[in-house]
Amino acid sequence: MSRYNPKEAEPRWRAVWEREQTFRTRTKAEAGGRPKYYVLEMFPYPSGNIHMGHARNYVMGDVVARFKRARGFNVLHPMGWDAFGMPAENAAMERKVHPKDWTYANIAQMREQLKLLGLSIDWSREFATCDPAYYGRQQRWFLDLFARGLVYRREATVNWDPVDMTVLANEQVVDGRGWRSGALVEKRELSQWFLRITDYAEELLEGLDELAGRWPDKVRLMQENWIGKSRGLTLSFRWADAPPAGLEAGVEVYTTRPDTLFGASFLAVAADHPLAERLAAEDPDVAAFVVECRRGAATAEALETAEKIGRDTGLRVRHPFDADRTLPVWIANFVLMDYGSGAIFGCPAHDQRDLEFARRYALPVLPVVLPPDADAATFAIGEEAHTGPGVIYRSEFLDGLAVEDAKAAAVARAEAQGQGQGATVYRLRDWGVSRQRYWGCPIPIVHCAACGPVAVPVEQLPILLPDDVSFEFPGNPLLRHPTWRRTTTCSTCAGPAERETDTLDTFVDSSWYFARFADPWADEPIDREAADYWLAVDQYIGGIEHAILHLLYARFITRALTDAGHMSVREPFAGLFTQGMLTHETYRRADGAWIDPAEVRVDAVNGRRVAIEDKTGDILQIGDIEKMSKSKRNVISPLEVIDSYGVDAARLFLLSDSPPERDVQWTTGGIEGAWRLVNRVWAEIDAERSAGSPDAAASAALRRAAHKTIKAVTEGFDGFRFNSAIARLYEFLNAIRQHAGADADARAEALRALTLLIQPIAPHLAESCWERLGGDGLAVDAPWPAFDPALAADDELVLPVQINGRRRSEIRVPAGAAEEAVKAAALDDGAVAGHLAGMTVRKVIVVQDRIVNIVAG
């Protein structure tokens, strides 16, 4: 028996696939009526090396692509690179290299590493978002949206990263810090370009219903919360005394809780509210406080946990429903200008942020919602605001109403007084896409002193980035370039103009790449015929960390481009799967330094696990099992694993250890177990069959095992239960050995099935097995094995038995057993008989092959 050698077999089969162009995508015309299937993994940033997270993501997609291909689908499975962004500029500054050179060198290296994984990718469709052929087409559709009014420029308060020296979207600010640099984010006023995503807020929200069942509920909920539709009241609080100049109409507030207006004890405005800006211009102390607010947390999420601070303006407004009451007006750091009107009324008893603020500044706390079973005479607010249900009290005309009824009554009263209006508001803000950096898609606009912002004519596209830029100083090199921004004219008046030096947010680049893959050679940004054939993506795979940033933007841009005539689909991703993370133990020296797992051995000493550094022999601290990261050095290189065990063993481990939506802990034992499975499969295929008379019973049993396995593995792949499918293959191997006396036909059928079933998971091994079995052509081109339902059916079933709706036992019966036989078996069961003692059986309901229900009394 020969030994399976992955170092010889795997490169050989990859060379065959490449030579035969096995994975070249067929056009609709070439497909001959085969149904299409588009599988796509979120494309990677070219950092230079693939990691195990990459491997798991792309191997999952590859299993789906190979499985669908074998089932007769015309499969599109492309690859590209999300290649613009700050890391390339940081590398330029740190390593004295050009971002373009650094990026394309990384792409070349990662491409070769990904090819080692044996992925069934059509590499002819590959592109990078930094290719002029790609970003030039992006500039073209950007101008289409500009012409349709979906692109505009305005002064805006932005999140400014003082280290990366660029604007960040709200979603890119994590706990008040820049998502890449980790620097505390500041607020600044800048002229920025925006996309009107809010025009599509309601449609984006409604579209989530269409995705139920094929998108994770968690992702849909995250998007729903981010869009944040709320019904409330826009209300004007009028001044109690002389109004500030220019703000005579009062302070407009949007609230979702008008039922709590009688519990109001203050108004608060954002630090960049017009009132705060006017007061800051007149008072240096107010100006200093505004600056302090702008240095703090930048998002609603961060402000939830930040310290609440404020400054009393000395101004007061009248309560809308009680002319004798006035409320102080404060400037507060926890109010954001980009939600509602940038002003709130504070009801400390029923909002936790308001309560924290009120306790700090000794403001009144006035409960007006009485919780169920609470006593109105004694109820008081402690450390927690009451935000739950109840009845309104201490609120005049609202007293005795439930919360929702009180909301409606308060809105009606405000409208009748001419002081407010019921309103629907979205938390979603327009998408700020300006970035003050070089390595990004240039915005195809010029600025003319006479005409303002003017679109660059299409025939002048692409607007290319200049190569001769300097990274000696922080900031945007395009601003410092001696000629680039000034060597242009206005296409409207032919006068002098300057190019826009902001570049587009990289999330614009990734908002449409899936559509470009339909025909990456098209002159138009999107070939409509190809896009209409391939889109939507049938199965999209990637991390849940992109639930808002990428997926929401892609859903918006898809709709905008469809409305602009580029394609016909509104939801870009029909199915979404979010895979779990890859984890590993962490190890640290006494001085706190993290140690690479490759430099550590773990032994048992006196019955406990001890980590020892190979180089020094020092005992290390074993830390938590965490997501693999360079910072904690708990990263396992796929290349090292492939070198030791081969690609297919790595693929098997990544898919077999746990359900794909869960995290996987990398262990040496796990990869060694996968390596043993590879060798067990090869040994079974390569083994000489022992001489002797065939056993008819063994032959029949092996055939049944084969068909049961085909059915189970097919269902496992269809349901993304790769680990379950692999577990059934283990069982099938055992069955093949157990029924070694089967005849040659039954054994050949079983081995052919085994080979084709492992093909999506371990493709190189499958080709070697197929060749050894004398199969026609390549295993990857062979059709998926079919199962005989009669042979795949279970011989015996376990049925639950319920008594009066409660499960009390279970019985084993032959599949398809007659109803009377099932009733008899249920009533004869000891546990059932015990529960029925002293009761009269009134009815026995049998749902064949499913359940038995007994009604007794």
Side-chain angles (χ1 to χ4, degrees), residues 470-687:
S470 168
F471 294 92
E472 294 180 11
F473 307 100
N476 187 354
L478 293 177
L479 274 172
R480 300 191 300 267
H481 194 280
T483 59
W484 182 79
R485 65 186 174 121
R486 296 186 177 90
T487 54
T488 188
T489 56
C490 173
S491 61
T492 300
C493 69
E498 289 193 0
R499 295 192 190 283
E500 173 62 68
T501 57
D502 284 355
T503 54
L504 289 173
D505 181 8
T506 55
F507 285 105
V508 177
D509 307 338
S510 59
S511 68
W512 71 290
Y513 77 107
F514 45 88
R516 183 67 182 170
F517 275 137
D519 183 353
W521 308 281
D523 182 60
E524 293 297 318
I526 299 169
D527 181 276
R528 180 156 184 167
E529 183 179 356
D532 287 351
Y533 173 59
W534 285 112
L535 294 176
V537 176
D538 296 280
Q539 187 62 66
Y540 199 36
I541 303 172
I544 199 168
E545 65 271 19
H546 298 295
I548 295 172
L549 286 174
H550 163 56
L551 293 170
L552 186 62
Y553 292 154
R555 295 180 64 224
F556 158 57
I557 290 297
T558 297
R559 286 166 165 79
L561 293 181
T562 288
D563 289 343
H566 288 280
M567 48 186 173
S568 306
V569 68
R570 303 198 77 77
E571 284 294 346
F573 312 118
L576 173 70
F577 187 85
T578 53
Q579 84 280 5
M581 297 183 297
L582 212 60
T583 65
H584 198 289
E585 275 187 336
T586 54
Y587 308 103
R588 298 182 85 167
R589 293 198 192 109
D591 62 5
W594 301 99
I595 304 299
D596 193 305
E599 301 168 6
V600 178
R601 70 178 188 276
V602 179
D603 294 332
V605 178
N606 297 326
R608 50 189 292 268
R609 294 175 73 246
V610 175
I612 302 168
E613 185 177 4
D614 285 331
K615 184 169 58 177
T616 64
D618 292 341
I619 302 295
L620 302 173
Q621 175 188 343
I622 299 178
D624 293 335
I625 296 168
E626 299 188 38
K627 177 184 177 181
M628 289 187 182
S629 68
K630 292 179 181 178
S631 62
K632 296 190 177 177
R633 299 194 64 188
N634 64 333
V635 175
I636 299 295
S637 167
L639 303 182
E640 294 175 4
V641 174
I642 290 170
D643 185 62
S644 299
Y645 298 99
V647 174
D648 287 346
R651 289 172 61 118
L652 269 166
F653 173 74
L654 290 169
L655 298 172
S656 65
D657 197 62
S658 70
E661 68 274 14
R662 296 184 189 168
D663 295 349
V664 171
Q665 182 186 355
W666 184 270
T667 64
T668 301
I671 185 61
E672 288 177 347
W675 169 239
R676 287 193 295 272
L677 177 60
V678 167
N679 284 284
R680 278 190 63 190
V681 171
W682 178 247
E684 201 60 56
I685 297 291
D686 201 46

